[in-house]
Amino acid sequence: MTAPFTARLKGTTRDALWSGPVVDCDVHATPPSLEALFPYTDPVWVQGAQERGWKGPIGEAHAYPPGAPTTARDEWRPEGRPPASSIELLRQHVLDPWRVDAALVNTAYGVDSLRHPDWAPALARAVNDWLIAEWLDRDPRLVGSMVVPARDPAAAAAEIERIGSHPRIVQVTMPVRSERLYGQRVFWPIYEAMTRHDLVMGLSWGGTTEDAPSPTGYASWYAEEYAAEIQLYGAQMTSMIYEGIFQKFPGMRVTMLESGFAWVPTWSWSINKKWKGLRREIPWVDRLPTEIIRDHFRFSIAPADLGPAAHARKIIEWLGSEDLLLFATDYPHLHTDDLAAVLEVMPESMRPKVMAESARQWYRLDKALS
């Protein structure tokens, strides 16, 4: 029996669009409420939240306001609960219509927006245990991305040590918006733990809410802030390359989630040029940044931001590799991308890599799902 189509497949069919395997590297799971996490939370923090009337961190709502069109497609907004807040919704909206072979579940709950040095790690533990029990243990197609208290590298590394060896955990989510650039040495304990457990770093939309969302200050409007945040991905990528984390941690792999990828060719050309002129300051960067990007970065295709087809073909060509892009629906967020148009501008040899093969290799899915 054919599963009902989602709006994502409106006007076409899954088989008409793509007949091969599908790995969705970015679907979201949202705790329906703070109370849903209480069975996985130390009682002292349950009591603390109840006494204060605290309803959860604000970070997620700041990056994706509940009523904003970008937060969820209309047909993915259930009555009486947040979008993407149950595994049944994920099955109905993505897993079954797409006949997904594997999906990577991300939980951007805004843990990083909580400054409390003990509560933030406790909340990260609760979210991760909830993810494993309520999602990963209930569907053999799912692997997960754990959250960490990113402000506190020691606590983040401790959380990776606690559950990083779980066979279905394949990624550590870090928000792109941070107090410090991620190449800096204060974060290296996180990368040491991450690479020891062979986990990917997933750099995702959102992050700390008390700092400016752009490199030069505050935006006046949400639309302006939403559009400007793309700059932070380039800044974080440059920091990680120039600070030398890929020489320090050769096994480090980073997936840029919700970043788009049209900006990557010109940004990498720019940091190539700067490296050539200033490389004596950073002698540990031992090859062109574009070569490091091809070895250590991947980019999800939602959003695509490609423009006209002729321009999009140039962008795909300028990436210089068929291995950099990973299919994603970014469920439940709205990007209004036309996946058929995205696939159309790719060489035929690239499409199976984007739809499944690259993610399967990048996340070691054969091992995680065995």
Side-chain angles (χ1 to χ4, degrees), residues 8 30 44 153 156 244 272 320 354 357:
R8 186 77 180 178
T30 302
V44 69
N272 272 356
V354 172
E357 292 174 7

Side-chain angles (χ1 to χ4, degrees), residues 121-263:
L123 186 62
R125 290 193 294 272
V127 171
N128 292 328
D129 290 346
W130 171 83
L131 172 69
I132 291 171
E134 303 291 342
W135 295 72
L136 306 189
D137 286 351
R138 295 181 58 198
D139 196 301
R141 294 168 290 186
L142 301 182
V143 292
S145 184
M146 60 181 291
V147 297
V148 293
R151 294 175 189 269
D152 184 342
E159 179 62 4
I160 294 171
E161 293 297 343
R162 188 181 75 88
I163 64 162
S165 60
H166 189 286
R168 305 284 285 281
I169 294 294
V170 299
Q171 183 168 263
V172 180
T173 298
M174 302 274 282
V176 70
R177 194 164 151 181
S178 60
E179 291 178 314
R180 293 182 172 188
L181 289 166
Y182 285 138
Q184 294 179 6
R185 298 179 188 189
V186 67
F187 293 106
W188 288 13
I190 299 177
Y191 308 145
E192 183 177 1
M194 202 180 287
T195 54
R196 183 162 50 249
H197 291 280
D198 198 25
L199 301 174
V200 174
M201 175 185 183
L203 200 60
S204 187
W205 197 266
T208 55
T209 53
E210 62 268 40
D211 299 314
S214 84
T216 52
Y218 287 89
S220 298
W221 313 102
Y222 172 68
E224 186 181 355
E225 178 178 329
Y226 189 76
E229 198 160 301
I230 194 72
Q231 304 167 78
L232 303 182
Y233 284 93
Q236 295 286 15
M237 185 172 74
T238 304
S239 172
M240 287 188 277
I241 292 173
Y242 278 10
E243 296 264 5
I245 68 168
F246 301 107
Q247 286 74 34
K248 180 69 175 177
F249 306 103
M252 184 87 177
R253 313 190 301 281
V254 182
T255 301
M256 297 288 208
L257 298 164
E258 305 178 42
S259 74
F261 56 88
W263 56 276

Side-chain angles (χ1 to χ4, degrees), residues 20-21 55 69 186 207 210 220 256 261 264 268 281 288 307 316 331 338 361-362:
K55 296 301 181 183
V186 67
E210 62 268 40
S220 298
M256 297 288 208
F261 56 88
V264 175
S268 60
E281 186 189 13
L288 283 169
I316 296 293
Y331 171 79
D338 183 344
Q361 179 181 21
W362 189 247

Side-chain angles (χ1 to χ4, degrees), residues 17-18 301 338-347 351 354-355:
L17 194 63
W18 177 247
I301 66 166
D338 183 344
L339 180 62
V342 177
L343 290 175
E344 179 62 28
V345 300
M346 293 179 184
R351 296 170 194 170
V354 172
M355 294 304 294

